[in-house]
């Protein structure tokens, strides 16, 4: 596998080819945000995760074919600076959780809850609500079968810990509990994690550190 997930702002995308699905990762903006383009290889339909910044680069990123949806993982501004322009140009449907949707700069045409599904062509993604970083943070899971699972976590899970909860113990407990119960307890170690910033990881690489995260409280 040549895909590493190591991308830099201003640099090229890194691309991963799966049976039926192409995943491309691009780093954009002053906060080194990751944007992900998922494209169904059967139909050519695309879905963009987090139109974070640099609209021109994102539009070039998705230009090879149509995108039907743009999913915003959560309401923090660094994840949607290019959303209005990319939505206007592509006509893609904005998607977000109802608790975070009001903060976005465009009307959210589709609201999704925990357990809902989003399709891109013939590919189905499951919505996982991970509360704590923001009230309406969501992750997207692609289950390709045979232990082939890919999880796009926004700012809720990174290499080395869960997302920032501003030292609020209640928010940390909520996020940690959701990440354990809704992610680690149900998905295998081989699950690949694509975060909202920085490098990728796997659940297997992070699982041994769960007690440490709980003890430190962040």
């Amino acid at each position: 596998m040549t895909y590493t997930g190591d991308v830099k702002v201003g640099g090229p995308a890194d691309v991963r080819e799966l049976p039926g699905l192409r995943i491309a990762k691009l780093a954009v903006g002053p906060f080194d945000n990751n944007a992900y383009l998922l494209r169904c290889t059967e139909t050519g339909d695309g879905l963009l995760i987090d139109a974070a910044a640099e609209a021109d680069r994102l539009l070039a990123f998705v230009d090879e074919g149509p995108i039907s949806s743009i999913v915003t993982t959560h309401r923090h501004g660094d994840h949607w600076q290019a959303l209005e322009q990319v939505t206007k140009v592509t006509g893609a449907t904005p998607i977000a959780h109802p608790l975070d949707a009001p903060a976005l700069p465009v009307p959210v045409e589709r609201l999704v809850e925990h357990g809902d599904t989003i399709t891109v062509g013939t590919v189905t993604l499951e919505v996982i609500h991970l509360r704590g970083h923001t009230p309406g943070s969501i992750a997207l899971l692609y289950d390709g079968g045979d232990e082939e699972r890919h999880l796009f976590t926004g700012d809720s899970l990174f290499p080395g810990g869960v997302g920032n909860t501003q030292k609020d113990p209640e928010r940390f407990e909520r996020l940690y509990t959701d990440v354990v119960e809704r992610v680690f307890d149900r998905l295998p170690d081989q699950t690949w994690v694509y975060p909202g910033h920085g490098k990728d990881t796997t659940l297997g690489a992070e699982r041994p550190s769960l007690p440490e995260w709980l003890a430190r409280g962040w």
Side-chain angles (χ1 to χ4, degrees):
M1 182 184 72
T2 59
Y3 175 86
T4 65
D6 296 337
V7 293
K8 296 181 179 180
V9 174
D14 198 5
V15 178
R16 185 174 208 165
E17 301 284 355
L18 302 173
L21 181 67
R22 181 177 185 262
I23 299 171
K25 176 182 181 180
L26 186 73
V28 295
F31 297 100
D32 195 10
N33 287 76
N34 296 325
Y36 298 95
L37 175 63
L38 280 55
R39 195 170 293 283
C40 171
T41 57
E42 182 175 337
T43 68
D45 186 26
L47 176 147
L48 181 66
I49 299 174
D50 285 341
E54 298 187 76
D56 290 346
R57 289 187 68 218
L58 289 180
L59 288 169
F61 182 48
V62 306
D63 190 48
E64 66 185 55
I67 59 170
S68 58
S69 305
I70 303 174
V71 176
T72 302
T73 58
H74 62 290
R75 67 189 184 190
H76 287 160
D78 60 311
H79 288 260
W80 51 255
Q81 291 300 309
L83 178 60
E84 186 172 11
Q85 186 172 347
V86 175
T87 300
K88 181 178 180 180
V89 172
T90 63
T93 298
I95 299 176
H97 190 278
L99 293 178
D100 278 15
L104 302 187
V106 299
V108 176
E109 296 178 32
R110 184 179 174 198
L111 301 173
V112 290
E113 301 272 5
H114 180 67
D116 286 348
T117 58
I118 299 169
T119 58
V120 50
T122 61
V123 173
T124 299
L125 306 168
E126 178 189 343
V127 176
I128 301 176
H129 188 193
L130 300 173
R131 300 158 290 186
H133 181 66
T134 66
S137 289
I138 57 174
L140 297 181
L141 173 66
Y142 169 61
D143 186 346
D146 296 326
E147 304 298 308
E148 183 79 38
R149 293 174 178 87
H150 300 263
L151 183 67
F152 302 86
T153 57
D155 284 1
S156 291
L157 178 62
F158 295 98
V162 297
N164 189 356
T165 51
Q166 282 73 47
K167 300 181 180 180
D168 183 326
E170 291 185 4
R171 286 175 57 195
F172 169 76
E173 182 180 3
R174 177 74 277 170
L175 179 55
Y176 178 84
T177 299
D178 276 1
V179 165
V180 170
E181 293 180 350
R182 298 181 175 187
V183 174
F184 283 94
D185 283 356
R186 58 169 292 217
L187 298 174
D189 284 352
Q190 296 92 332
T191 302
W192 197 276
V193 175
Y194 305 81
H197 304 263
K199 294 185 176 183
D200 300 355
T201 187
T202 65
L203 293 187
E206 306 304 322
R207 194 183 301 274
S209 300
L210 287 174
E212 176 190 343
W213 301 353
L214 180 61
R216 75 189 186 194
W218 56 274

